[in-house]
Amino acid sequence: MQRVEWSQAVCARVLQTAAWEQAKVVLLYHALPDEVDTARLLEEGLSAGKQLLLPVVVGDELELRVYEDEQTMKRGSYGILEPTGRRLAEAEYDQIDLVVVPGVAFDRRGYRLGRGKGYYDRLLPKLRNAYKMGVCWPVQWVEEVPCEAFDVRMDVVIK
């Protein structure tokens, strides 16, 4: 299946970046069917001794929880698997070195089109020290996405 191949290729490129190599604390996500599957990044991150975080939908916000393994996950909002590990306090957000961000589409300027709920629009400004890496399949790469003043640009988009 094309999506599986695309996801594997994107993850391989992420793993080759200096941002991934140097990061000690990484915020990933558990993929929906139309997003880059990050399972390989979760596996590689754990074996490399990185602290991995995943978002959990709580009302209109994303709270960040420590990812331990697939056995400690439960179905949450939107049917997404979410970690049950320790919740990261907002005061600890500055420890996050790298955030890997999904999107419906990304453009050459580094802007992303999300799903319209604004979860990442509210979260990303709080991650002041994190290198922001968008990931997408080639078909999600577009010339330009509409953006507002509150949209946060990615430092890089891997496709």
Side-chain angles (χ1 to χ4, degrees):
M1 179 183 239
Q2 188 69 56
R3 293 174 182 195
V4 172
E5 292 170 16
W6 284 339
S7 289
Q8 289 172 348
V10 169
C11 287
R13 284 192 276 282
V14 168
L15 292 169
Q16 293 170 355
T17 64
W20 175 267
E21 291 270 332
Q22 296 165 8
K24 291 179 177 43
V25 181
V26 181
L27 172 58
L28 291 168
Y29 64 91
H30 217 277
L32 289 168
D34 62 346
E35 295 173 337
V36 171
D37 185 348
T38 59
R40 180 171 177 205
L41 298 178
L42 289 167
E43 290 172 26
E44 297 282 343
L46 280 181
S47 30
K50 296 180 186 300
Q51 181 179 32
L52 302 179
L53 307 168
L54 291 175
V56 173
V57 175
V58 178
D60 290 336
E61 301 296 323
L62 291 177
E63 88 179 14
L64 307 182
R65 291 193 171 267
V66 174
Y67 172 78
E68 293 160 7
D69 56 40
E70 288 297 310
Q71 285 70 45
T72 60
M73 304 284 279
K74 68 176 176 78
R75 290 249 175 245
S77 301
Y78 308 104
I80 301 170
L81 285 173
E82 299 176 337
T84 57
R86 181 180 77 79
R87 179 176 178 243
L88 204 69
E90 254 187 67
E92 298 174 275
Y93 284 10
D94 285 346
Q95 297 172 12
I96 300 170
D97 302 307
L98 171 64
V99 56
V100 177
V101 184
V104 173
F106 288 89
D107 70 17
R108 58 183 166 70
R109 302 169 300 163
Y111 286 106
R112 67 181 281 279
L113 181 65
R115 297 181 178 275
K117 299 281 188 184
Y119 292 117
Y120 279 93
D121 294 327
R122 288 185 292 280
L123 175 65
L124 290 173
K126 298 175 186 176
L127 306 180
R128 293 182 297 271
N129 297 334
Y131 187 78
K132 294 158 186 71
M133 180 183 289
V135 291
C136 67
W137 297 323
V139 296
Q140 295 171 308
W141 180 255
V142 298
E143 188 61 30
E144 190 172 327
V145 297
C147 62
E148 307 279 341
F150 56 79
D151 286 320
V152 175
R153 268 180 68 198
M154 300 295 103
D155 294 305
V156 68
V157 178
I158 308 285
K159 59 186 185 322

